[in-house]
Amino acid sequence: MKSINQFKDIFFYKIISRGIYGYKSILDVGCGQNSPLRLLLKNIYSEGIDIHKPSIDKSEKRKIHNRYIVGDIREIDTYYKPKTFDAIIALDVIEHLRKKDGVQLLRTMERVARKKIIILTPNEFCHQDHYDQNPYQHHKSGWNKRDFEKFGYKVYGLRSFKFIRGACATIKYKPWIIWGIIAFITEPFLYYFPSLSYQLLAVKTLNEKK
């Protein structure tokens, strides 16, 4: 069990690492208390923004980012000037907003990013209540491949088959170790079949204005 837990996210981290490779500045939108970027940022300037101050405080203690802002992610363009960051990531964030607010977030991120936007979210609605004494953790919307394609994103699949996982991407079936191995093995093959995958990775490369 321990070895599976240790290696189950290798593909996920590989894809995210490849997505931000070569960029010098990153904004982590809805960074939370323990962003996956903690394992990936090396010699990259990053900032984190989140509306939940206790999460910001915990992330700051872990020294994940260089700078933090406690603020409403729907209004990031009021905190940052246009084209401030090479890339913006929003991992497991947009589903915590109502659909219209999520659309607003997509638009504001394009104003603040120079080169790329990376979004990770469950494929369709996945129920989740708040936890860790964070009232913003419950899910309010579901997103599919077509939702992002309408805004010019390329969409890929992560976390293996959709039916295998439940809230917080946990394996739903027992024995866990067997289904964990199945998820681990099949995830790379489902990367190009996002409609079958548990999570969607939506990526948009922006045109740089010189």
Side-chain angles (χ1 to χ4, degrees):
M1 176 81 73
K2 185 176 180 179
S3 60
I4 293 296
N5 278 330
Q6 183 179 358
F7 295 109
K8 67 183 178 68
D9 287 329
I10 285 178
F11 186 74
F12 166 78
Y13 283 109
K14 179 180 179 181
I15 293 298
I16 300 299
S17 178
R18 187 172 70 186
I20 64 175
Y21 178 78
Y23 295 142
K24 296 180 180 179
S25 60
I26 295 176
L27 175 62
D28 191 350
V29 172
C31 61
Q33 63 180 339
N34 201 27
S35 171
L37 289 188
R38 71 192 185 280
L39 302 177
L40 300 176
L41 293 177
K42 294 180 180 179
N43 301 318
I44 300 175
Y45 179 84
S46 70
E47 296 192 17
I49 180 170
D50 199 292
I51 198 170
H52 191 237
K53 189 177 186 303
S55 294
I56 288 286
D57 292 341
K58 291 177 182 178
S59 181
E60 197 165 13
K61 286 182 180 179
R62 296 183 172 110
K63 299 180 180 180
I64 297 175
H65 299 293
N66 300 97
R67 181 173 177 263
Y68 292 90
I69 286 181
V70 178
D72 190 336
I73 62 172
R74 295 170 299 179
E75 301 174 353
I76 59 172
D77 55 346
T78 64
Y79 303 103
Y80 304 102
K81 295 179 180 179
K83 308 304 175 186
T84 300
F85 297 92
D86 285 344
I88 292 179
I89 67 165
L91 307 180
D92 293 313
V93 171
I94 200 168
E95 65 273 14
H96 298 281
L97 303 176
R98 292 184 176 87
K99 204 65 174 276
K100 66 176 183 178
D101 292 330
V103 170
Q104 178 182 335
L105 177 63
L106 296 180
R107 291 171 176 156
T108 56
M109 287 193 295
E110 286 199 32
R111 289 196 283 270
V112 177
R114 281 195 294 266
K115 300 179 180 180
K116 184 181 283 186
I117 299 169
I118 300 173
I119 298 170
L120 184 72
T121 189
N123 179 12
E124 303 285 1
F125 183 79
C126 179
H127 177 79
Q128 178 178 295
D129 294 319
H130 68 271
Y131 61 92
D132 284 343
Q133 297 181 329
N134 184 344
Y136 301 101
Q137 284 289 5
H138 65 284
H139 290 180
K140 296 181 179 179
S141 63
W143 297 76
N144 59 43
K145 180 173 177 283
R146 295 184 301 278
D147 290 329
F148 292 110
E149 289 177 335
K150 288 188 297 185
F151 290 92
Y153 284 79
K154 292 184 178 179
V155 185
Y156 307 94
L158 287 176
R159 307 291 195 189
S160 189
F161 286 105
K162 181 180 177 181
F163 73 89
I164 290 179
R165 298 184 183 274
C168 300
T170 54
I171 300 294
K172 293 196 295 185
Y173 304 108
K174 296 180 180 180
W176 184 92
I177 190 168
I178 299 299
W179 286 100
I181 291 172
I182 291 172
F184 178 81
I185 293 173
T186 57
E187 184 176 20
F189 298 99
L190 290 173
Y191 182 67
Y192 293 103
F193 300 93
S195 296
L196 299 177
S197 300
Y198 173 75
Q199 281 186 314
L200 304 178
L201 180 74
V203 180
K204 186 169 186 177
T205 302
L206 306 174
N207 293 322
E208 294 183 72
K209 294 182 179 180
K210 297 183 180 181

